[in-house]
Amino acid sequence: APLVEAANAANDAAADAAPAAEKNLHFVSANAMTSLRSLELPNLHTVCIQFPDPWIKKKKRRVVSPALVSTLADLLPPGGQVYLSSDYFALALEMRAAFLGHGAFRLTRLPTVSVIPGNPTAAAQLEEAR
């Protein structure tokens, strides 16, 4: 994926410019629904799920599902974080409920909501609570 390659190149260049900086950021293009476990990410600490459902009315296509939440609960270490954001407030609440309903996650920062007339957005930060 060109965007992922460009992001990794920019990250590498920034790390090379500051030798003391750790190379602890890497972008991956993958289908989280099917590939997350097979990626073998030993240092996974933070997952960002941003605007995951472009077809808001098709619930069967939800990215944040009980299966994904369970996978992330298994893969993230204690203190690992999940950031959620959506441009549909109802979907943001649905995603947050999926994580909080699992039991392995807790809300660590109050949700941020910005309201643009006709288009509220929301974001939440959760932490693996084991």
Side-chain angles (χ1 to χ4, degrees):
L3 182 60
V4 170
E5 292 169 9
N8 282 322
N11 183 55
D12 290 344
D16 290 343
E22 292 185 44
K23 292 186 178 185
N24 63 355
L25 178 64
H26 189 75
F27 297 90
V28 177
S29 176
N31 182 339
M33 301 296 290
T34 59
S35 304
L36 197 54
R37 285 193 188 276
S38 66
L39 289 174
E40 298 180 19
L41 302 168
N43 299 324
L44 181 66
H45 182 270
T46 303
V47 174
C48 298
I49 301 174
Q50 301 173 327
F51 310 99
D53 292 301
W55 298 284
I56 189 68
K57 294 181 182 177
K58 296 187 179 187
K59 288 192 176 216
K60 67 181 181 178
R61 296 185 57 117
R62 291 285 190 260
V63 171
V64 175
S65 66
L68 179 66
V69 174
S70 291
T71 297
L72 290 175
D74 291 344
L75 294 176
L76 285 169
Q81 296 183 338
V82 176
Y83 292 91
L84 303 170
S85 60
S86 176
D87 50 353
Y88 290 98
F89 188 69
L91 179 58
L93 294 176
E94 186 179 307
M95 293 188 305
R96 183 179 72 177
F99 277 91
L100 294 178
H102 182 275
F105 295 93
R106 64 184 172 93
L107 192 62
T108 58
R109 186 172 56 185
L110 290 176
T112 303
V113 178
S114 60
V115 179
I116 299 169
N119 189 21
T121 64
Q125 175 182 335
L126 299 110
E127 181 175 279
E128 219 287 341
R130 284 186 275 183

